[in-house]
Amino acid sequence: MRDSMLSTGIYSISQAAALLGIHQARLRVWVCGSAGARGRPLIRTELPRVGGRVALSFVNLIEAKFIELFSSKGVSVRSMRYMAEEAERFLQHPHPFATDWIFKTDGKKIFVEAAERTEDPCLYDLKGHNFAMHGILAKEFMGDVQFSTSGVADAWFPRIDIAPNVRVTPKVAFGSPAIEKNGVPTEALFAALQAEGGDVATVAAWFDVSENDEIEAVR
């Protein structure tokens, strides 16, 4: 199920943490683990270390997004670890949290098994036999992520509420945030606007983007 595009896109811990809106130390634990067997990494990095520094691929970035979403709802690391191990075994895919599978019918089975096995109250209402959290998480995770026909994430709109035309995909600008329409990196648009003293119309014309796209890039 691996797709060659999944090995493209490269993010440092600080870049990934900024895109995800989380602390670097939190992300580093998910990627590097912590002391003890229970502290093993939740994310298997695709990229080798360079000069001892950890780098994440686009697929790792989406895995971290998945983990952050579940964690923000109070889901335990134990539950996520169980889901990851079972999903990886079933799918034969090393990065199941970067797919849409767990939110489909077969994937829900793993979700339910994790809830029952760990008795995690954030996943499962034991008294009411209510798995409503599955639908809530699916809606939030898939609301700003696009998937390929194979079910693997291939694009993400990291600030869809304030910048719906800004996309992150390993296919464009080496995975940097860029305008969806023509792939101009937001960093370039922001830098140009600063250099031009905030002249939105001029910068937009230079890069052949709309003024709204320029404003979204700055956001």
Side-chain angles (χ1 to χ4, degrees):
M1 290 183 61
R2 289 183 67 108
D3 189 297
S4 60
M5 83 170 80
L6 296 181
S7 63
T8 61
I10 180 168
Y11 310 87
S12 66
I13 289 288
S14 61
Q15 289 171 330
L19 279 170
L20 294 163
I22 62 176
H23 291 297
Q24 293 183 36
R26 185 177 178 83
L27 178 58
R28 191 174 294 278
V29 169
W30 296 344
V31 175
C32 302
S34 56
R38 293 185 178 181
R40 63 188 184 278
L42 281 170
I43 296 173
R44 183 187 306 176
T45 54
E46 292 193 310
L47 302 172
R49 295 194 180 196
V50 177
R53 295 186 177 182
V54 176
L56 281 68
S57 66
F58 175 77
V59 73
N60 294 149
L61 184 69
I62 297 302
E63 289 180 288
K65 170 182 165 57
F66 179 103
I67 294 168
E68 168 58 18
L69 172 59
F70 273 56
S71 179
S72 71
K73 301 298 183 183
V75 177
S76 70
V77 170
R78 182 187 175 202
S79 295
M80 286 189 280
R81 198 179 301 285
Y82 177 85
M83 281 189 284
E85 291 172 352
E86 289 299 298
E88 184 173 340
R89 180 181 61 81
F90 184 87
L91 285 179
Q92 296 295 299
H93 191 294
H95 307 286
F97 287 170
T99 74
D100 63 357
W101 175 79
I102 204 164
F103 297 115
K104 294 183 175 180
T105 302
D106 289 343
K108 187 174 181 179
K109 181 174 182 291
I110 298 297
F111 182 96
V112 171
E113 287 179 358
E116 293 179 335
R117 178 71 64 87
T118 63
E119 296 190 353
D120 190 333
C122 291
L123 291 180
Y124 176 40
D125 176 0
L126 291 171
K127 294 181 180 179
H129 296 279
N130 181 9
F131 292 95
M133 183 58 74
H134 181 270
I136 294 172
L137 291 167
K139 182 177 180 179
E140 291 195 28
F141 181 71
M142 299 177 71
D144 54 12
V145 178
Q146 292 181 343
F147 299 87
S148 67
T149 54
S150 63
V152 179
D154 63 6
W156 174 38
F157 294 81
R159 302 291 186 274
I160 199 168
D161 53 338
I162 62 171
N165 295 305
V166 173
R167 180 180 63 168
V168 170
T169 173
K171 303 173 185 177
V172 175
F174 302 101
S176 297
I179 299 300
E180 181 182 15
K181 182 176 65 176
N182 60 4
V184 178
T186 57
E187 185 175 13
L189 290 166
F190 179 75
L193 189 67
Q194 286 186 310
E196 287 301 304
D199 188 340
V200 173
T202 295
V203 173
W206 281 353
F207 288 92
D208 192 27
V209 299
S210 69
E211 291 186 25
N212 183 66
D213 285 342
E214 170 66 27
I215 292 169
E216 287 191 19
V218 172
R219 289 173 181 165

